[in-house]
Short mmCIF file of all heavy atoms in Angstrom, two decimals:
data_model
loop_
_atom_site.label_atom_id
_atom_site.label_comp_id
_atom_site.label_asym_id
_atom_site.label_seq_id
_atom_site.Cartn_x
_atom_site.Cartn_y
_atom_site.Cartn_z
N ARG B 161 9.58 41.86 0.42
CA ARG B 161 8.78 41.48 -0.71
C ARG B 161 7.28 41.99 -0.41
O ARG B 161 6.42 41.79 -1.32
CB ARG B 161 8.60 39.98 -0.74
CG ARG B 161 9.69 39.51 -1.90
CD ARG B 161 9.55 38.07 -2.10
NE ARG B 161 10.50 37.39 -1.22
CZ ARG B 161 10.66 36.09 -1.26
NH1 ARG B 161 10.06 35.28 -2.07
NH2 ARG B 161 11.60 35.52 -0.47
N ARG B 172 -7.04 38.23 1.40
CA ARG B 172 -7.54 37.27 0.30
C ARG B 172 -6.95 35.87 0.36
O ARG B 172 -7.85 34.99 0.45
CB ARG B 172 -6.91 37.89 -0.89
CG ARG B 172 -7.88 38.24 -2.03
CD ARG B 172 -6.98 38.69 -3.20
NE ARG B 172 -7.76 39.80 -3.76
CZ ARG B 172 -8.44 39.55 -4.90
NH1 ARG B 172 -8.48 38.43 -5.54
NH2 ARG B 172 -9.09 40.61 -5.42
N ALA B 173 -5.66 35.78 0.43
CA ALA B 173 -5.12 34.42 0.18
C ALA B 173 -4.77 33.70 1.43
O ALA B 173 -4.36 32.56 1.39
CB ALA B 173 -3.97 34.65 -0.69
N SER B 193 -13.88 45.28 -5.29
CA SER B 193 -14.10 45.06 -6.72
C SER B 193 -15.14 46.22 -7.14
O SER B 193 -15.00 46.71 -8.24
CB SER B 193 -14.78 43.70 -6.99
OG SER B 193 -14.25 42.78 -6.18
N LYS B 194 -16.11 46.48 -6.29
CA LYS B 194 -17.05 47.46 -6.71
C LYS B 194 -16.32 48.78 -6.81
O LYS B 194 -16.61 49.50 -7.78
CB LYS B 194 -18.05 47.60 -5.45
CG LYS B 194 -19.36 46.80 -5.78
CD LYS B 194 -20.45 47.07 -4.67
CE LYS B 194 -20.93 45.72 -4.21
NZ LYS B 194 -21.20 45.82 -2.76
N GLY B 208 -20.56 47.28 -18.86
CA GLY B 208 -21.94 47.04 -18.30
C GLY B 208 -21.90 46.29 -17.01
O GLY B 208 -20.91 45.74 -16.59
N GLY B 272 10.37 26.27 16.69
CA GLY B 272 10.47 27.27 17.78
C GLY B 272 11.49 26.83 18.80
O GLY B 272 12.42 27.71 19.21
N LEU B 274 13.51 23.85 19.06
CA LEU B 274 14.77 23.13 18.77
C LEU B 274 15.69 23.91 17.81
O LEU B 274 16.71 23.37 17.31
CB LEU B 274 14.38 21.72 18.08
CG LEU B 274 13.62 20.81 19.07
CD1 LEU B 274 13.41 19.40 18.39
CD2 LEU B 274 14.49 20.52 20.29
N LEU B 333 -8.57 3.06 17.10
CA LEU B 333 -9.58 3.94 17.72
C LEU B 333 -9.16 4.33 19.03
O LEU B 333 -9.17 5.57 19.43
CB LEU B 333 -10.93 3.17 17.85
CG LEU B 333 -12.18 3.99 17.84
CD1 LEU B 333 -12.28 4.87 16.59
CD2 LEU B 333 -13.41 3.13 17.93
N VAL B 389 4.07 17.86 -3.41
CA VAL B 389 4.11 17.06 -4.73
C VAL B 389 5.46 16.37 -4.83
O VAL B 389 5.52 15.13 -5.22
CB VAL B 389 3.95 18.05 -5.96
CG1 VAL B 389 4.27 17.32 -7.17
CG2 VAL B 389 2.46 18.57 -5.94
N GLU B 416 0.13 -14.03 2.10
CA GLU B 416 0.54 -15.46 2.23
C GLU B 416 1.63 -15.72 1.22
O GLU B 416 2.70 -16.28 1.47
CB GLU B 416 -0.63 -16.36 1.99
CG GLU B 416 -0.42 -17.76 2.34
CD GLU B 416 -1.65 -18.68 2.06
OE1 GLU B 416 -2.70 -18.24 2.50
OE2 GLU B 416 -1.56 -19.68 1.49
N ILE B 442 4.16 14.89 7.54
CA ILE B 442 4.78 16.05 6.60
C ILE B 442 3.65 16.93 6.20
O ILE B 442 3.82 18.22 6.33
CB ILE B 442 5.54 15.45 5.57
CG1 ILE B 442 6.71 14.69 6.08
CG2 ILE B 442 5.95 16.58 4.57
CD1 ILE B 442 7.58 14.01 5.01
N TYR B 456 -7.00 18.63 18.92
CA TYR B 456 -8.02 17.99 18.27
C TYR B 456 -8.16 18.21 16.78
O TYR B 456 -9.06 17.81 16.21
CB TYR B 456 -9.42 18.35 19.03
CG TYR B 456 -9.61 17.69 20.37
CD1 TYR B 456 -9.56 18.52 21.48
CD2 TYR B 456 -9.94 16.45 20.44
CE1 TYR B 456 -9.74 17.99 22.68
CE2 TYR B 456 -9.97 15.78 21.69
CZ TYR B 456 -9.95 16.51 22.76
OH TYR B 456 -10.07 15.96 24.01
N LEU B 459 -9.17 15.58 14.11
CA LEU B 459 -10.60 15.20 13.83
C LEU B 459 -11.16 16.02 12.58
O LEU B 459 -11.86 15.50 11.85
CB LEU B 459 -11.52 15.61 15.02
CG LEU B 459 -11.25 14.66 16.17
CD1 LEU B 459 -12.04 15.09 17.38
CD2 LEU B 459 -11.67 13.20 15.82
N GLY B 472 -10.20 8.20 -4.30
CA GLY B 472 -9.07 7.77 -5.25
C GLY B 472 -9.07 6.31 -5.41
O GLY B 472 -8.16 5.73 -6.12
N LEU B 485 -6.48 15.89 -3.88
CA LEU B 485 -6.61 17.08 -4.79
C LEU B 485 -7.94 17.55 -5.04
O LEU B 485 -8.34 18.72 -4.92
CB LEU B 485 -5.74 16.85 -6.00
CG LEU B 485 -5.33 18.04 -6.88
CD1 LEU B 485 -4.28 18.85 -6.17
CD2 LEU B 485 -4.79 17.56 -8.15
N THR B 525 -8.87 1.25 -9.98
CA THR B 525 -9.72 0.22 -9.51
C THR B 525 -9.40 -0.02 -8.04
O THR B 525 -8.41 0.33 -7.48
CB THR B 525 -9.56 -1.03 -10.31
OG1 THR B 525 -8.08 -1.26 -10.40
CG2 THR B 525 -10.12 -0.94 -11.72
N LEU B 527 -8.62 -1.81 -4.49
CA LEU B 527 -7.67 -2.89 -4.04
C LEU B 527 -6.46 -3.13 -5.05
O LEU B 527 -6.24 -4.31 -5.29
CB LEU B 527 -8.39 -4.19 -3.73
CG LEU B 527 -9.60 -4.02 -2.71
CD1 LEU B 527 -10.05 -5.36 -2.39
CD2 LEU B 527 -9.11 -3.34 -1.46
#
Side-chain angles (χ1 to χ4, degrees):
Chain B
R161 263 183 271 187
R172 235 180 219 259
S193 330
K194 264 182 230 147
L274 296 181
L333 204 58
V389 170
E416 189 180 313
I442 293 177
Y456 284 108
L459 289 173
L485 196 67
T525 47
L527 307 184

